[in-house]
Amino acid sequence: MKSCTLFLVAALAACGDDGGGSTIDAGPRADAPPSCPPQTAPLATGTHELFIAFEGVSITLGDCDDSKTNCSSLVAQGTTEVPAFLMTETNRQTRITAIKGMVQDALAPFSIDVVTTRPTAGDYWMVVAGGTSDAVAGMTGVLLATNPTCESTNRNSVGLVFERANDTTDRAYADTIAGAWGSLVGLVPTTQSGDCMCTQTSCAHAQTCTWGTGVVTMPGNRCMRPNQNEQALLTAAVGCRSFDDDFRHHVPRPGLASSAMAPMHQDRRQAARELAGLDTRPAAIRPVAHFFGSRASGPRCAPIAVSS
């Protein structure tokens, strides 16, 4: 039987089979690729976009997860008005600019641009910042909410980041937004302070959060990973920024002769998927159980909600 449960106290939703032998993501392999190279301003343009909605959004409740139509199963009401972020702050725009910059700093190595104006074309992830978890999602004391996934299969998915106490720092908000996006592309929460997927209030927010290669994850996470190679997972999802110019590493793959190895900029995402332990078969033949809660006949999985 498929079980899908929301654990606010445990800080995430567990979603898996009750001993049904489902396919799960493996941990990071020993031959993990080099990290995406650090990037400094001015950044080259990325190939993907993360839209942070700070100015309020009207979200329609439905069996959907679509940034382009503002449709999500995460909200509490049929039409939920998410208020603009930090509306009572006198230095609101200064804080928004700082938070956006911090999120971009965290994502700088990867080929994704952070924008605060909705894109007019193409796919984009959307993280909506604003409102309390009570008013927006009908849940008390929650920091963020996303729909469960173990891979970056929906490039138009929606996440919610809620306002907290007045003493919450810009860095804490930025790290939470970065972690929300990481969840949208298949990463799971960790308890390692300073890691971008460490989104509990006990996590430190002293400097730009980082993406590790062998980070221990929270027990019982939705993807059943004991640890995760965040660098490889994000490379598989969006690639490295300025990859073709700045990152010409060859990636050794077990079982392939050296003559068969291609530069990673030619097949970097396939290589990264292998190195992250993800299923590399075409989507049409992957086990459905790999995508928890994806069976049309089964119960829906609860949204991932990180509590404060």
Side-chain angles (χ1 to χ4, degrees), residues 252-301:
R253 300 211 218 151
L256 291 184
S258 59
S259 61
M261 297 193 318
M264 191 169 177
H265 71 264
Q266 293 179 359
D267 61 349
R268 59 189 182 275
R269 291 185 188 171
Q270 176 75 0
R273 287 181 62 82
E274 294 176 4
L275 293 163
L278 295 176
D279 196 331
T280 59
R281 287 171 290 178
I285 63 172
R286 294 178 199 160
V288 174
H290 183 73
F291 302 98
F292 298 122
S294 62
R295 284 196 181 102
S297 60
R300 293 196 46 172
C301 291

Side-chain angles (χ1 to χ4, degrees), residues 45-274:
T45 301
T47 56
H48 303 276
E49 289 182 299
L50 166 61
F51 168 44
I52 307 177
F54 286 117
E55 300 305 325
V57 175
S58 178
I59 299 179
T60 301
L61 173 64
D63 186 13
C64 49
D65 186 18
D66 189 355
S67 60
K68 295 181 179 181
T69 60
N70 293 341
C71 190
S72 174
S73 61
L74 300 173
V75 295
Q77 304 297 323
T79 299
T80 299
E81 301 292 339
V82 181
F85 184 66
L86 300 178
M87 275 302 294
T88 61
E89 293 283 334
T90 56
N91 60 341
R92 175 176 181 271
Q93 191 54 55
T94 299
R95 294 193 65 183
I96 286 174
T97 300
I99 292 168
K100 172 184 178 287
M102 291 175 185
V103 177
Q104 185 65 85
D105 287 345
L107 302 184
F110 306 100
S111 190
I112 181 166
D113 295 332
V114 177
V115 299
T116 54
T117 300
R118 186 186 294 269
T120 58
D123 296 332
Y124 57 91
W125 290 278
M126 178 170 72
V127 173
V128 181
T132 64
S133 62
D134 282 314
V136 176
M139 296 182 287
T140 302
V142 175
L143 303 182
L144 65 92
T146 64
N147 278 303
T149 184
C150 294
E151 292 197 51
S152 180
T153 54
N154 181 2
R155 298 183 182 277
N156 297 291
S157 54
V158 177
L160 305 175
V161 169
F162 307 108
E163 289 191 36
R164 311 205 290 272
N166 291 336
D167 60 352
T168 302
T169 66
D170 295 347
R171 171 65 63 195
Y173 276 125
D175 289 354
T176 304
I177 292 170
W181 176 74
S183 184
L184 294 180
V185 298
L187 276 64
V188 298
T190 72
T191 57
Q192 180 172 308
S193 198
D195 185 75
C196 292
M197 294 307 297
C198 187
T199 51
Q200 295 177 303
T201 52
S202 59
C203 301
H205 302 285
Q207 58 190 7
T208 303
C209 66
T210 58
W211 309 94
T213 57
V215 185
V216 176
T217 60
M218 291 187 66
N221 65 77
R222 66 190 182 276
C223 301
M224 296 176 150
R225 295 182 193 132
N227 47 47
Q228 66 187 357
N229 186 333
E230 295 168 350
Q231 287 282 336
L233 288 165
L234 295 182
T235 300
V238 298
C240 292
R241 191 179 298 274
S242 295
F243 199 103
D244 291 344
D245 294 330
D246 301 327
F247 197 52
R248 297 189 177 93
H249 295 283
H250 286 255
V251 179
R253 300 211 218 151
L256 291 184
S258 59
S259 61
M261 297 193 318
M264 191 169 177
H265 71 264
Q266 293 179 359
D267 61 349
R268 59 189 182 275
R269 291 185 188 171
Q270 176 75 0
R273 287 181 62 82
E274 294 176 4

Side-chain angles (χ1 to χ4, degrees), residues 39-44 105 108:
Q39 300 286 331
T40 56
L43 296 175
D105 287 345

Side-chain angles (χ1 to χ4, degrees), residues 1-18 22 24 146-150 183 188-189 218-225 289 291-293 299-306:
M1 176 182 294
K2 179 74 72 172
S3 62
C4 302
T5 309
L6 176 66
F7 295 98
L8 293 178
V9 175
L12 72 158
C15 178
D17 281 322
D18 297 331
S22 62
I24 61 175
T146 64
N147 278 303
T149 184
C150 294
S183 184
V188 298
M218 291 187 66
N221 65 77
R222 66 190 182 276
C223 301
M224 296 176 150
R225 295 182 193 132
F291 302 98
F292 298 122
R300 293 196 46 172
C301 291
I304 300 156
V306 179

Side-chain angles (χ1 to χ4, degrees), residues 16-36:
D17 281 322
D18 297 331
S22 62
T23 302
I24 61 175
D25 289 332
R29 283 173 25 182
D31 57 347
S35 300
C36 286

